[in-house]
Amino acid sequence: MQIESFFENFLNKESIFLDKNVLLSSYIPEDILYREEQLQEVANILAPALRTEKPSTLFIYGKTGTGKTLSVKHILKSLGEIAFKNKVPLKPIYLNCKLKRVADTEYRLISQLIKEFGQDVPSTGLPTDEIYSIFYKLLDQEKTVVLLVLDEIDQLTKKIGDEILYNLTRINSELKNSQICLIGISNNLIFSENLDPRVRSSLSEEELIFPPYNAIQIQEILRERSKKAFKSEVVELGVIEKCAAYSARDHGDARRAIDLLRVAGEIAERSGSSLIKIEHLDDAEKKVETDKIINAVNNQPKQFQGVLYSILLISPQKKMFYTGEIYEVYKNICKQTKFNILTQRRVSDILAELDMLGIINAKIISKGRYGRTREVSLSIEESVIIKIKEIIEKSLHIS
DNA sequence: AGGTATTCACATGAAACTATTCTCTGAGTTAGG
DNA sequence: TAACTCAGAGAATAGTTTCATGTGAATACCTGT
């Protein structure tokens, strides 16, 4: 009965959203604000591809949420359309190297490329050279210019080294018909510094930096999006300003700002409000953070959760604790749960990863005569801690 | 007092190992002609 | 004889272990005053 009336209400109530897709990260707007210069630059560099000449390899740097991916995708799209219209054999390919199990290893990257050409290769079992030669053959069948965009390329080289990049640049000299042009996108500004010199010189012929947006620009971007995403007049005054301020505070991450606005909208709608108010935004910020963390915890292996659990166990007693203490508690937990005990070496790595995820705060300090260690503290709120604890207890079957 | 050498408790790196998943190959087996 | 089955060899990958080396500053130990 109650449920029924709830659904009735839900149907009758007007949504405050006009088109929620506009606020998703997959959305590519028609105009990209404040990026005219960069777009033009990228276009200039890639344009020769339309005459089936090989464009210079391009590297794009910039922090997260500065419109790198968006701009490149935009250009690829229009480039592809023009090429199609004029029957230019141009093949734009976009790959995100960070996606787990898609393009995060040499093998998978190449096999993904082969898939783009419409052939399927097994996900494992073949030697890497094999898929390289399949790729070569496929590529050289007919004259094409391939524009290969590797997003988050820094993650790729961090994980498996820069050999692939070398191989990819070498492909050109082996092919008769086709050309391949690399476009790398990196969050890390000093990415190319720890690259093999051979790779670096042949790779970064052109470089482009996307500066962060400032607060006013983010406001404008948010206004533009919210015009399309929400019905008119539903966003209360000051919400957009505050939303922009939130993300301009660290480095002007537009994606985060848009995310925040969307979640605020969802919260407002769920609470039955016809307006998006500042308090919804505050809730949204909390929710975005906790969701991110909970998601991260869920996706980690068991041992990982075990280490985190030991930290959660110590945390009520102390504010700061060291690797050694955590390891002791962790060993006890392993005994209880009949898990095999990992070495301290590994636990040390796991702690570093937890730090990266922002779940803990780890600082390496030297206590002089008494050694060198990580000084760890939890960097999440009480309510989140409890939630995580429950999740882990469930997944590790701790009573 | 001031300077240097030690020393602790890990951090960090590289390589090698393990278990799992998957392919390919070729020998052995089966069913149909 | 062609089709099928199935074990064994070889790969890729994630998660670890092993071994080796690095490291920052509080202390211990000198030294000369």
Side-chain angles (χ1 to χ4, degrees), chain A residues 69-83:
Chain A
T69 305
L70 203 59
S71 304
V72 170
K73 275 188 173 170
H74 185 81
I75 296 245
L76 281 193
K77 204 172 130 203
S78 45
L79 216 49
E81 280 164 11
I82 300 270

Side-chain angles (χ1 to χ4, degrees), chain A residues 307-330 333 351 376 378 385 389:
Chain A
V307 175
L308 180 54
Y309 191 72
S310 353
I311 297 173
L312 295 181
L313 281 189
I314 319 177
S315 66
Q317 300 148 33
K318 285 187 186 169
K319 230 170 142 238
M320 298 290 196
F321 26 90
Y322 307 109
T323 305
E325 299 173 70
I326 296 171
Y327 189 61
E328 285 308 311
V329 178
Y330 161 78
I333 290 194
L351 286 176
V376 174
L378 271 170
I385 292 178
K389 216 167 166 180

